[in-house]
Amino acid sequence: MRLSAYCLFILGFPVWFGLAAAWGASGPQCIGYLALLHKLCRQIRLEVRVAGKSAGRYSRQHALRGQNAGVVSIQQGLKLRSYSTHVLASAFQPARTDFAIGHAVHFVNPLEHDGFFEPGGWGSHAVSESLPLLVFLPGMDGSIVTPFWQYPQLGTQFELACMVHTAGMNSRAPFEQLVEEVVQYMSSASRAGRRVLLVGESFGGTLALAVAQRLDAESSGAPAPLLGLALINAATCYASSALSVVGPVCASLRGPFYCASLLLLAALVLEPRTQLPGMLSLLTSRCLPSLLATPEREAYLVRVALSAFLGLKEPGLQIGQLFRVAVFSRSDLEFRLSQWLET
């Protein structure tokens, strides 16, 4: 019997929100993991049979505002295509090439990548280098999309520098190499006279602590090049968490059992409870977060939604490539649990 991945996604939708009600998660996390759920449905040998009248058509006007994109109105006519999917190799392949040699990470400013501009905010500063530098270290998945709706507000006070794994999910850089490269980047910024705020989320919090300790040790009595250190849900208690038990079991599973286990894994590492009402209001277009309640920021939200979560590739939607949601393969998960979190 052939099942529709689209139908499976619809059936999985209330299941996910049931988990969300029990555990709690931020709006962007839920949106991102709903996209991940859809990808998982497509990874199993299923056929997407959404076509013609059953798919329907819809179109909307979207205003794209940005420093590089200008002010553009585009008519997006979207139609779901009928296509068959094969098993995506990422979920079933063995360990891949070792990318530990060379530069394992680099740093990007999502607002600059998007071309974002707003009066009094990012893009309006005469010299952006005069702003403090906010270095953001993401979680185990390496995605910098989690705090995406805070970026415009942060851009009024900081220049953003978000860590991105150069090889993406293929990265096999050891923990010590990550520490060394972040230290080198921050030391270079400090020598250039920049004030640096280091922020780490989840695994990034563990990495941030190691970086701060290294900077302090190397300062030789001089002040370390840190304006401050902020930890957000730092994964410092991994060894005593449920993830340390469930994660390796998930990584040992194969085929569709592995794909299904990722939903359980997501429920453990997210927080679906206090922010769920706000996320539902956002999805149903009843209200916007106060951080995005300006025309420029609302347009930014639209660009992120269209490109990162709906996968559209149009001029002015470059942010999608930076915010796209990737899926762990078994080898990815096993490596990051054992080499990064257990360190």
Side-chain angles (χ1 to χ4, degrees):
M1 178 180 180
R2 281 182 161 178
L3 299 176
S4 164
Y6 179 72
C7 291
L8 183 58
F9 172 68
I10 296 299
L11 292 174
F13 192 88
V15 174
W16 168 250
F17 278 108
L19 294 173
W23 280 283
S26 65
Q29 282 177 326
C30 281
I31 296 173
Y33 278 89
L34 284 174
L36 181 147
L37 171 61
H38 186 252
K39 288 187 176 183
L40 289 177
C41 293
R42 291 171 54 190
Q43 281 185 323
I44 309 171
R45 295 181 184 273
L46 304 175
E47 182 180 0
V48 178
R49 310 185 82 179
V50 184
K53 295 181 180 179
S54 63
R57 292 183 65 89
Y58 63 95
S59 60
R60 296 178 182 177
Q61 284 282 348
H62 301 289
L64 299 182
R65 295 181 174 87
Q67 189 176 25
N68 300 324
V71 180
V72 184
S73 293
I74 58 173
Q75 182 76 20
Q76 293 289 350
L78 307 177
K79 183 177 181 179
L80 297 176
R81 301 191 304 275
S82 174
Y83 57 97
S84 295
T85 61
H86 300 288
V87 177
L88 297 182
S90 62
F92 308 103
Q93 283 182 344
R96 302 178 223 171
T97 306
D98 187 348
F99 286 86
I101 299 175
H103 295 289
V105 301
H106 61 278
F107 295 83
V108 298
N109 184 341
L111 299 179
E112 189 70 19
H113 194 86
D114 175 62
F116 180 84
F117 169 84
E118 67 174 346
W122 180 254
S124 66
H125 305 96
V127 182
S128 60
E129 288 77 10
S130 64
L131 297 172
L133 186 66
L134 189 156
V135 176
F136 174 66
L137 308 182
M140 181 177 68
D141 62 354
S143 172
I144 62 173
V145 70
T146 304
F148 82 89
W149 63 26
Q150 281 91 5
Y151 289 149
Q153 181 63 32
L154 290 171
T156 64
Q157 302 291 329
F158 299 94
E159 180 179 2
L160 302 177
C162 300
M163 186 186 81
V164 175
H165 295 279
T166 304
M169 282 295 183
N170 293 325
S171 177
R172 295 296 183 267
F175 184 81
E176 280 303 314
Q177 182 178 358
L178 299 180
V179 173
E180 180 63 30
E181 294 195 13
V182 177
V183 167
Q184 289 178 4
Y185 179 78
M186 294 185 61
S187 297
S188 175
S190 178
R191 288 193 297 271
R194 303 297 298 272
R195 295 167 294 159
V196 183
L197 173 64
L198 180 60
V199 179
E201 181 246 338
S202 189
F203 162 71
T206 304
L207 180 59
L209 280 173
V211 169
Q213 290 174 344
R214 178 76 63 82
L215 288 170
D216 184 63
E218 294 180 355
S219 62
S220 301
L226 274 180
L227 179 63
L229 173 65
L231 305 180
I232 306 168
N233 297 329
T236 52
C237 299
Y238 169 74
S240 60
S241 70
L243 179 60
S244 67
V245 177
V246 176
V249 173
C250 293
S252 69
L253 299 176
R254 295 181 178 275
F257 296 104
Y258 170 71
C259 294
S261 75
L262 288 184
L263 297 179
L264 174 61
L265 197 65
L268 287 176
V269 300
L270 299 181
E271 310 170 357
R273 180 164 50 199
T274 56
Q275 296 116 339
L276 183 58
M279 199 273 272
L280 291 176
S281 296
L282 176 64
L283 289 177
T284 55
S285 301
R286 289 200 298 268
C287 67
L288 283 174
S290 59
L291 287 175
L292 296 175
T294 68
E296 293 80 13
R297 298 182 186 187
E298 184 177 350
Y300 162 77
L301 174 62
V302 170
R303 292 195 295 275
V304 171
L306 287 175
S307 58
F309 303 130
L310 295 183
L312 294 187
K313 297 180 180 179
E314 300 285 346
L317 299 182
Q318 305 93 320
I319 194 67
Q321 288 299 307
L322 195 60
F323 284 172
R324 65 184 182 276
V325 177
V327 180
F328 283 113
S329 72
R330 291 175 58 248
S331 59
D332 295 335
L333 180 59
E334 182 179 14
F335 176 85
R336 298 187 181 208
L337 289 174
S338 62
Q339 301 300 315
W340 291 359
L341 286 178
E342 291 181 7
T343 301

